[in-house]
Amino acid sequence: MPNPEVSASYQELSEDVERVSENPAEEREGDMEVHEDSSSVILRDGELGTTTPSLRFSKTCLKNVFSVILLFIYLLLMAVAVFLVYQTISDFREKLKHPVMSVTYKEVSLYDPPGIAFYPGKAQLLSCKHHYYDHIPPLINPGQPGDIECNTQRINYTDPFTNQTMKYALVVQGPRDVKKRELVFLQFYLNETDQDFSAIDYLLFSSFQEFVSSPEKAKFMKDCESSYSSWKFSGGFRTWVKMSLVKTKEEDGSETVEFKQETSVVNYIDQRTKPRSDQLFFVVFEWKDPFIQTVQDIITANPWNMIALLCGIFLALFKAADFAKLSVKWMIKIRRRHLKRTRQVTNHIS
């Protein structure tokens, strides 16, 4: 007699087999849904894995482009700095070669009395007086000897250009007080002459006191004639000479003195009763203004300014070079990091 438990289990097993045989399509559909879910999960994971490196690559590319642009900008700045260095040095050398003339004026109330050397030849000094405030009194007995109230010196010396001809000079002390408009009025007389034109030569030198105190007056006058220019004043006129003093400082520190003159000429009306063949010469010397003009060459290029500018430019060059070096290192580092990440993603995908 069969066992009832065995028969019951057999019946359950047969029912399960029939259920499976009746619904095979449902089983396959369920399996496919499971596979589709798993594959979709894998695809989403792959999509995320591929999207993140692309974003990183775009950021890295932008950083590299920005770094290259900065590098070119700093290279341009370095080129400009080098040009500025060259231009600064060139300007400094040019200013050294071409100094600028500087003119200054010094006001004085009293001048050092200048020396006036006359070369009268055959003419004679009739009178010499100091007057003030541009006032000259009327002439008394023109053509006749008058008062000589000036400090005068007479000297003979050889011509500095020929060293053969003897020259006679009458040296007179010039005006001093410019505030009171001091002037020196001189009258010369020439009896007769064999020349077509009558004139007396004169020259001005800086200090009458130096001439008086010089132990070798002849040599002093030869040096003055070699250094200063000479002028003339004609007979039959009153020549008014207004002087101004110009001092020039040389590069070696020495100082030269030069006189500038403004001359006005007035005709002399001879009112003597008898007609005469002689010539009268009248000359006036006066200071034009109380200002001594000083001329010197100055170099406008300041070496300290150039040194400061060069230091700033070189500092900028070093900073730019340091930044460029750091930028290149940073770009190389970013490139290596990008390649490393690329290899990691490739290995992960593979």
Side-chain angles (χ1 to χ4, degrees):
M1 184 174 179
N3 192 352
E5 295 179 359
V6 173
S7 60
S9 61
Y10 178 77
Q11 187 178 357
E12 292 176 0
L13 179 62
S14 62
E15 289 176 358
D16 292 335
V17 170
E18 289 176 358
R19 192 185 306 113
V20 171
S21 61
E22 289 175 357
N23 301 319
E26 293 178 0
E27 291 282 342
R28 286 194 297 270
E29 288 176 359
D31 293 338
M32 290 179 63
E33 287 177 359
V34 172
H35 287 295
E36 286 177 356
D37 294 338
S38 62
S39 62
S40 64
V41 172
I42 293 172
L43 287 174
R44 284 195 297 271
D45 292 340
E47 289 176 358
L48 290 174
T50 55
T51 303
T52 304
S54 64
L55 291 175
R56 291 177 180 175
F57 176 76
S58 62
K59 291 180 179 179
T60 305
C61 183
L62 288 176
K63 289 182 180 179
N64 290 336
V65 171
F66 184 68
S67 300
V68 171
I69 293 174
L70 277 181
L71 183 60
F72 276 108
I73 290 174
Y74 274 91
L75 288 176
L76 179 62
L77 292 177
M78 289 176 65
V80 172
V82 171
F83 174 75
L84 287 177
V85 171
Y86 171 76
Q87 193 67 28
T88 301
I89 295 175
S90 300
D91 291 344
F92 183 77
R93 294 179 61 185
E94 191 69 20
K95 289 178 180 179
L96 286 178
K97 292 179 182 178
H98 301 90
V100 178
M101 181 179 293
S102 172
V103 180
T104 58
Y105 293 89
K106 179 183 178 182
E107 185 176 3
V108 295
S109 57
L110 295 175
Y111 278 94
D112 186 9
I116 309 171
F118 295 96
Y119 301 93
K122 295 181 180 180
Q124 300 177 3
L125 177 63
L126 295 181
S127 64
C128 178
K129 292 183 179 181
H130 288 261
H131 301 284
Y132 296 91
Y133 301 106
D134 294 340
H135 175 68
I136 299 176
L139 296 175
I140 299 175
N141 296 325
Q144 299 296 322
D147 297 331
I148 300 178
E149 300 175 356
C150 303
N151 191 358
T152 61
Q153 295 277 338
R154 302 175 187 271
I155 185 171
N156 295 318
Y157 64 93
T158 57
D159 194 323
F161 301 104
T162 63
N163 289 327
Q164 294 178 356
T165 307
M166 290 296 296
K167 300 189 74 171
Y168 160 69
L170 173 66
V171 183
V172 179
Q173 179 178 334
R176 181 185 182 189
D177 196 338
V178 65
K179 292 295 185 180
K180 295 181 179 180
R181 297 180 183 178
E182 180 184 0
L183 58 87
V184 178
F185 177 62
L186 300 98
Q187 179 184 177
F188 289 88
Y189 168 80
L190 180 61
N191 188 13
E192 59 182 12
T193 178
D194 55 357
Q195 298 178 356
D196 296 331
F197 301 95
S198 58
I200 295 177
D201 295 338
Y202 71 95
L203 67 82
L204 301 170
F205 55 91
S206 58
S207 176
F208 179 79
Q209 188 61 37
E210 289 184 7
F211 167 74
V212 172
S213 59
S214 175
E216 298 180 359
K217 293 181 175 58
K219 184 178 182 302
F220 183 89
M221 288 305 304
K222 289 174 68 174
D223 294 339
C224 287
E225 189 172 353
S226 301
S227 303
Y228 298 101
S229 301
S230 61
W231 292 271
K232 297 178 182 290
F233 60 95
S234 301
F237 298 93
R238 187 193 68 185
T239 304
W240 199 301
V241 179
K242 292 190 175 183
M243 307 173 293
S244 59
L245 191 62
V246 180
K247 295 183 179 181
T248 304
K249 292 184 178 180
E250 304 295 338
E251 294 182 358
D252 57 357
S254 61
E255 187 177 79
T256 59
V257 179
E258 179 185 1
F259 284 91
K260 290 185 177 181
Q261 301 183 39
E262 293 183 4
T263 304
S264 60
V265 178
V266 178
N267 186 32
Y268 168 67
I269 300 175
D270 195 349
Q271 297 180 354
R272 291 177 293 179
T273 56
K274 296 180 181 180
R276 299 174 181 270
S277 61
D278 56 0
Q279 286 285 338
L280 296 178
F281 300 81
F282 305 95
V283 63
V284 180
F285 291 92
E286 180 188 13
W287 287 109
K288 177 184 175 182
D289 51 48
F291 298 101
I292 298 177
Q293 181 178 345
T294 303
V295 180
Q296 62 179 346
D297 292 335
I298 60 173
I299 298 174
T300 57
N302 191 344
W304 295 110
N305 290 341
M306 190 194 70
I307 291 172
L309 180 60
L310 291 178
C311 288
I313 292 174
F314 282 122
L315 181 61
L317 283 174
F318 288 135
K319 288 293 183 181
D322 190 25
F323 179 82
K325 182 176 69 175
L326 292 177
S327 298
V328 171
K329 287 183 177 180
W330 182 72
M331 291 170 61
I332 294 172
K333 184 178 179 181
I334 292 297
R335 180 64 179 170
R336 288 176 179 176
R337 187 179 298 174
H338 173 67
L339 293 175
K340 184 178 179 181
R341 289 178 179 176
T342 304
R343 286 196 298 270
Q344 288 177 355
V345 171
T346 305
N347 293 335
H348 179 71
I349 294 173
S350 64

